[in-house]
Amino acid sequence: MTPTLISGGNHKDERGILNFNNDFDMSLVKRMYLIENVDTFFKRRWQGHKIEQRWFSATIGKFKIEIIKINDWKNPSKKLEKITFEISSENADVLHIPAGYVSSIQAMIKSSKLLVMADYKLGTISDDYKYPTDYFNE
């Protein structure tokens, strides 16, 4: 499975703006949480999951999300390809990150908030993998 950006949209009229995503199927989601980075310079990186998958949606502001498909969870190559996405609260876009990836999350606008949805409840499995922030050569 590959990462997918599920595009949302919006409708504007005299009452205001309605953001929507009619193509996002939430049937696999078991829990959710919000991330708000300390500032726009901080990068929350490289954490991921071998089994779990995630869906990201900016509820406020804009985020740059880099992902890397891991080739060996115990000793991954330091030169793996990064894929970059930008998601914004202007539309209700949802970025799907399948199992097997680590991510880097950076707010592009101060006080941005990122909704994260997962397909396993907290504590159900042990599937957190973290690497030093400089592990994958910048």
Side-chain angles (χ1 to χ4, degrees), residues 17-41:
I17 301 171
L18 171 73
N19 293 328
F20 60 87
N21 193 318
N22 296 330
D23 295 323
F24 175 44
D25 178 2
M26 296 179 65
S27 61
L28 295 176
V29 173
K30 301 284 193 252
R31 68 183 176 101
M32 63 182 207
Y33 52 94
L34 287 171
I35 291 175
E36 184 176 352
N37 283 355
V38 65
D39 59 36
T40 58
F41 301 103

Side-chain angles (χ1 to χ4, degrees), residues 1 5 9 20-21 23 48 71 74 78 89 103 106 123 132 134:
M1 194 176 289
L5 184 64
F20 60 87
N21 193 318
D23 295 323
N71 63 334
K74 290 183 180 177
K78 293 184 177 193
S89 61
S103 63
Q106 181 180 12
D134 61 349

Side-chain angles (χ1 to χ4, degrees), residues 93-110:
D93 293 344
V94 176
L95 176 59
H96 174 233
I97 308 298
Y101 288 82
V102 293
S103 63
S104 169
I105 299 169
Q106 181 180 12
M108 304 304 289
I109 298 171
K110 187 177 172 148

Side-chain angles (χ1 to χ4, degrees), residues 2 15 35-36 44-45 51 58 65 70 85 99 105 107 120 126:
T2 60
R15 299 170 292 171
I35 291 175
E36 184 176 352
R44 183 183 298 266
R45 58 178 19 176
I51 300 168
I65 300 174
I70 298 300
F85 295 92
I105 299 169
Y120 282 83
S126 179

Side-chain angles (χ1 to χ4, degrees), residues 43-95:
K43 295 178 182 178
R44 183 183 298 266
R45 58 178 19 176
W46 294 107
Q47 180 175 333
H49 307 279
K50 189 176 183 179
I51 300 168
E52 294 183 62
Q53 55 188 327
R54 294 284 190 274
W55 295 266
F56 298 126
S57 185
T59 59
I60 298 173
K62 184 177 181 180
F63 286 87
K64 176 182 174 184
I65 300 174
E66 293 178 296
I67 60 170
I68 297 174
K69 182 153 182 66
I70 298 300
N71 63 334
D72 177 349
W73 291 92
K74 290 183 180 177
N75 187 27
S77 170
K78 293 184 177 193
K79 302 252 185 217
L80 296 172
E81 177 187 5
K82 292 181 185 108
I83 304 168
T84 303
F85 295 92
E86 286 190 7
I87 58 174
S88 163
S89 61
E90 290 184 9
N91 290 314
D93 293 344
V94 176
L95 176 59

